[in-house]
């Protein structure tokens, strides 16, 4: 395979992720907008997928990362989680 082919695949992935991200944002906005009106608030459930789509995008992007030092990576992730937990518990 040539380098140009790999770059074009990455470019397509980037565009696809951007499109899914835009759809997720739009569905969240529509969900909140529709829920403001009592007579059509039930329609908000159809657009209540935006946050799940962001979790999906996050998982895809994190799954593609190449981790060189796994122990260091786990320590950083654990600190990111534990610091807010301790602050919340002490509050």
């Amino acid at each position: 395979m040539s380098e140009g082919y790999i770059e074009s695949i990455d470019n397509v992935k980037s565009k696809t992720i951007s499109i899914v991200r835009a759809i997720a944002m739009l569905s969240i906005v529509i969900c909140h907008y529709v829920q403001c009106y009592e007579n059509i608030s039930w329609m908000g459930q159809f657009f209540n997928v935006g946050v799940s789509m962001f979790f999906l995008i996050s998982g895809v992007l994190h799954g593609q990362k190449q981790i060189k030092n796994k122990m260091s990576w786990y320590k950083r992730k654990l600190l990111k989680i534990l610091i807010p937990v301790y602050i919340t518990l002490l509050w």
Side-chain angles (χ1 to χ4, degrees):
M1 284 191 208
S2 68
E3 286 294 319
Y5 178 73
I6 293 173
E7 288 175 9
S8 66
I9 289 175
D10 288 340
N11 194 17
V12 169
K13 281 184 184 179
S14 177
K15 285 180 183 177
T16 305
I17 289 174
S18 295
I19 290 169
V20 172
R21 196 178 285 160
I23 292 169
M25 284 187 282
L26 187 62
S27 71
I28 290 172
V29 169
I30 291 172
C31 179
H32 286 283
Y33 179 75
V34 168
Q35 287 178 349
C36 292
Y37 299 100
E38 289 183 25
N39 57 345
I40 59 171
S41 64
W42 59 271
M43 289 179 58
Q45 294 302 315
F46 292 110
F47 298 104
N48 198 11
V49 296
V51 175
S52 299
M53 290 172 72
F54 278 117
F55 281 127
L56 178 78
I57 294 168
S58 176
V60 168
L61 293 176
H62 281 296
Q64 292 178 351
K65 283 186 176 180
Q66 297 295 327
I67 301 170
K68 294 179 182 174
N69 186 353
K70 289 187 181 186
M71 195 60 151
S72 172
W73 184 83
Y74 280 118
K75 284 181 184 178
R76 281 195 328 264
K77 295 301 173 187
L78 193 61
L79 279 174
K80 278 187 176 182
I81 294 170
L82 289 180
I83 290 173
V85 168
Y86 286 139
I87 291 172
T88 303
L89 291 175
L90 291 174
W91 192 271

